[in-house]
């Protein structure tokens, strides 16, 4: 018998499937995951892919010649953007009211980079096809709740948190709170497995 869940690919005792809620989204997500994140026990991108049936995940670092990704990017029925803050990025609110050079009636796909800031920057640097896309950023005052991983700043978000805020801002008529609920339960489960005092000493001090 496998020690890992075939759905979420986490250890059976840490399976998150019980907390997943299937959600509807008009906006499609493409998650580009750095190879170093694929087997992390606390990876959060899997919450997005399990919850959203129209999301897709590709693993790699240089996606310039990635056949499946380029086929999606070449679909003229969709607008494509990447969540990546930069000098020319626009806010998500602007994205929701802008055609980004195309018809505002086009369907929308947004790319998320799943990796540390350093690795996400490397993925962005080496993937020439990504640099052709419009870039968007989330509000700067958002605060993350990834409380068992040291973050460089208060507004550092996990991939699932970034996906939640992106979808909630673009589709205020839909409910995406179950994404954060599953994330919080996953974190709390890990905290509960720690010996007494370890969480307080390592993450609250």
């Amino acid at each position: 018998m496998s020690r890992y869940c075939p759905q979420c690919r986490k250890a059976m005792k840490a399976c998150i499937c019980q907390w997943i809620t299937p959600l509807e989204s008009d906006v499609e997500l493409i998650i580009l995951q750095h190879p170093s994140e694929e087997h992390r026990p606390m990876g959060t991108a899997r919450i997005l892919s399990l919850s959203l049936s129209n999301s897709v995940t590709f693993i790699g670092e240089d996606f310039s010649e990635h056949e499946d990704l380029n086929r999606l990017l070449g679909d003229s029925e969709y607008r494509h953007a990447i969540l990546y803050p930069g000098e020319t990025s626009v806010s998500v609110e602007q994205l929701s009211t802008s055609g980004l050079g195309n018809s505002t009636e086009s369907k929308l796909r947004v790319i998320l980079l799943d990796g540390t800031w350093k690795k996400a920057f490397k993925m962005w640097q080496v993937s020439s096809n990504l640099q052709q896309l419009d870039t968007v950023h989330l509000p700067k005052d958002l605060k993350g709740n990834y409380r068992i991983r040291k973050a460089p700043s208060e507004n550092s978000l996990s991939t699932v948190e970034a996906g939640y805020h992106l979808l909630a801002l673009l589709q205020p008529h839909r409910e995406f709170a179950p994404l954060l609920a599953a994330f919080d339960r996953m974190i709390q489960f890990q905290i509960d497995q720690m010996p007494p005092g370890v969480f307080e000493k390592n993450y609250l001090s």
Side-chain angles (χ1 to χ4, degrees):
M1 187 181 209
S2 175
R3 295 172 49 214
Y4 297 92
C5 172
Q7 284 255 89
C8 66
R9 299 199 293 268
K10 296 182 183 295
M12 291 299 292
K13 67 176 183 179
C15 174
I16 64 172
C17 295
Q18 60 186 314
W19 302 316
I20 296 296
T21 301
L23 301 171
E24 295 291 329
S25 174
D26 299 319
V27 177
E28 297 183 17
L29 297 183
I30 300 175
I31 302 166
L32 302 185
Q33 186 176 71
H34 192 275
S36 63
E37 295 292 320
E38 184 180 4
H39 299 296
R40 279 188 182 275
M42 292 306 298
T44 69
R46 195 65 179 149
I47 296 174
L48 290 171
S49 61
L50 289 172
S51 303
L52 303 163
S53 61
N54 60 352
S55 70
V56 61
T57 300
F58 299 128
I59 298 168
E61 184 173 78
D62 184 352
F63 290 91
S64 302
E65 305 298 329
H66 194 285
E67 193 173 316
D68 291 332
L69 175 60
N70 285 331
R71 184 167 56 250
L72 291 176
L73 296 180
D75 188 342
S76 60
E77 291 188 1
Y78 284 81
R79 292 184 284 145
H80 293 90
I82 181 168
L83 185 64
Y84 192 84
E87 292 182 3
T88 61
S89 63
V90 301
S91 68
V92 173
E93 291 87 348
Q94 287 176 278
L95 175 64
S96 65
T97 58
S98 165
L100 293 179
N102 296 299
S103 166
T104 54
E105 296 180 357
S106 298
K107 293 178 282 188
L108 177 63
R109 287 193 186 112
V110 182
I111 293 175
L112 303 181
L113 299 180
D114 182 40
T116 63
W117 272 111
K118 183 177 180 179
K119 287 166 183 171
F121 177 67
K122 180 67 180 295
M123 293 163 74
W124 166 258
Q125 269 194 321
V126 300
S127 302
S128 57
N129 51 350
L130 301 184
Q131 296 175 30
Q132 310 304 313
L133 303 176
D134 295 281
T135 55
V136 296
H137 61 259
L138 292 168
K140 295 179 172 59
D141 59 350
L142 298 176
K143 292 184 179 181
N145 191 34
Y146 206 159
R147 53 194 187 277
I148 61 171
R149 178 182 283 188
K150 293 288 188 180
S153 63
E154 271 193 343
N155 63 353
S156 295
L157 302 177
S158 66
T159 301
V160 69
E161 290 173 309
Y164 162 77
H165 288 295
L166 174 79
L167 295 175
L169 287 167
L170 288 172
Q171 303 169 94
H173 60 290
R174 291 196 181 276
E175 180 57 71
F176 295 103
L179 292 171
L180 294 187
F183 172 61
D184 189 63
R185 287 172 179 171
M186 182 183 76
I187 297 297
Q188 189 59 51
F189 172 82
Q190 294 297 328
I191 292 174
D192 292 343
Q193 307 312 301
M194 295 178 182
V198 169
F199 173 69
E200 291 77 6
K201 178 181 178 181
N202 293 337
Y203 299 98
L204 297 182
S205 56

